[in-house]
């Protein structure tokens, strides 16, 4: 179901957020990052109650992800993260069961600020849905760690890309109308000049 993202232990700024549809119509979320990245965030947000055992650290990681991750489908349906587990290692993985994903998906919003305090952090967002092409998006400070995607056929596309392409099309249409109008005015002037010379 999941694959290793080969994240280096010395690259705390890189993480992966995967949303995966399983065969039985259930969904799972996997967040992978270096152990260093998780430790950095936990030390920052739980400085007053430092963990003493790996189990306490894992509980803090699960709580931190739940507090800093939002997934919303079709504009208004927020999902619930359940049955979270943490697999500790140089590359640490956090896995949740995702409840409340609609059968018919029109759009998805993902906001993940779990690693926002790490300098130059980047999180690859991958959505694996049966029958859909695998697309790769990136959550960064530049997009406020938020991506809005819409379904276009059998793939997810960024909403802002669709807006850009739509506005580009509008610009082209306006230019075409202006050029056509310009040519029309020019040809009318030419005809008028010809009439004047004949008269």
């Amino acid at each position: 179901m999941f694959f290793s993202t080969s994240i280096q232990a010395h690259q705390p700024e890189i993480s992966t957020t995967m949303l995966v549809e399983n065969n039985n119509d259930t969904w799972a979320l996997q967040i992978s990052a270096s152990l260093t990245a998780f430790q950095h965030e936990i030390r920052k947000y739980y400085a007053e109650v430092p963990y003493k055992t790996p189990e306490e650290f894992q509980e803090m990681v699960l709580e931190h992800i739940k507090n800093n991750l939002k997934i919303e489908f079709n504009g208004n349906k927020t999902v619930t993260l359940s049955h979270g587990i943490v697999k500790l290692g140089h590359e640490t993985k956090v896995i949740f069961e995702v409840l409340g994903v609609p059968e018919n998906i029109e759009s998805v919003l993902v906001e993940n600020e779990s690693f926002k305090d790490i300098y130059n952090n980047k999180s690859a967002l991958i959505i694996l849905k049966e029958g859909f092409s695998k697309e790769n998006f990136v959550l960064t400070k530049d997009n406020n760690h938020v991506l809005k995607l819409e379904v276009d056929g059998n793939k997810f596309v960024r909403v802002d890309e669709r807006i850009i392409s739509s506005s580009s099309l509008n610009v082209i249409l306006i230019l075409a109308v202006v050029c056509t109008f310009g040519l029309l005015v020019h040809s009318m002037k030419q005809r008028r000049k010809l009439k004047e010379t004949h008269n």
Side-chain angles (χ1 to χ4, degrees):
M1 180 174 72
F2 299 112
F3 60 87
S4 174
T5 49
S6 302
I7 295 169
Q8 302 294 321
H10 59 272
Q11 289 183 297
E13 73 277 9
I14 297 172
S15 62
T16 304
T17 303
M18 290 177 59
L19 198 53
V20 182
E21 182 184 33
N22 297 322
N23 294 332
N24 52 357
D25 294 327
T26 61
W27 284 78
L29 174 79
Q30 176 183 289
I31 296 176
S32 304
S34 69
L35 180 58
T36 309
F38 284 107
Q39 288 172 331
H40 179 278
E41 292 294 314
I42 297 308
R43 284 193 197 107
K44 180 177 175 65
Y45 286 94
Y46 297 89
E48 294 177 11
V49 283
Y51 56 88
K52 296 181 180 69
T53 66
E55 289 74 25
E56 286 181 359
F57 176 73
Q58 290 173 353
E59 286 301 316
M60 289 176 180
V61 166
L62 292 173
E63 187 177 345
H64 179 69
I65 296 294
K66 282 185 173 183
N67 290 340
N68 289 279
L69 180 80
K70 176 185 174 185
I71 301 173
E72 187 179 275
F73 286 92
N74 298 348
N76 61 0
K77 193 163 181 59
T78 303
V79 301
T80 303
L81 302 180
S82 179
H83 299 97
I85 60 168
V86 180
K87 295 184 177 181
L88 294 174
H90 288 301
E91 179 191 14
T92 293
K93 297 178 181 179
V94 181
I95 301 168
F96 287 99
E97 184 180 346
V98 183
L99 305 176
V101 180
E103 189 176 337
N104 295 315
I105 298 173
E106 297 167 5
S107 65
V108 57
L109 178 145
V110 178
E111 180 177 357
N112 187 0
E113 296 186 322
S114 302
F115 306 103
K116 68 178 179 181
D117 302 293
I118 295 173
Y119 175 73
N120 203 28
N121 70 87
K122 298 177 184 68
S123 185
L125 172 65
I126 300 165
I127 302 176
L128 299 178
K129 177 170 170 53
E130 189 178 346
F132 275 56
S133 59
K134 191 178 90 172
E135 306 295 331
N136 198 334
F137 307 95
V138 183
L139 295 154
T140 67
K141 184 181 177 182
D142 293 337
N143 56 25
N144 296 315
H145 310 100
V146 180
L147 279 171
K148 295 178 182 178
L149 309 174
E150 284 186 354
V151 172
D152 185 6
N154 68 334
K155 64 179 182 178
F156 291 96
V157 295
R158 281 173 48 181
V159 171
D160 54 355
E161 282 181 356
R162 176 169 281 183
I163 290 167
I164 288 165
S165 61
S166 171
S167 62
S168 298
L169 185 63
N170 289 340
V171 168
I172 290 165
L173 286 171
I174 290 165
L175 285 172
V177 168
V178 168
C179 288
T180 306
F181 183 72
L183 286 170
L184 190 66
V185 169
H186 179 72
S187 65
M188 285 173 70
K189 282 182 179 178
Q190 289 295 102
R191 283 181 185 175
R192 195 175 296 152
K193 280 181 182 177
L194 282 170
K195 278 184 180 179
E196 286 173 358
T197 53
H198 283 301
N199 291 337

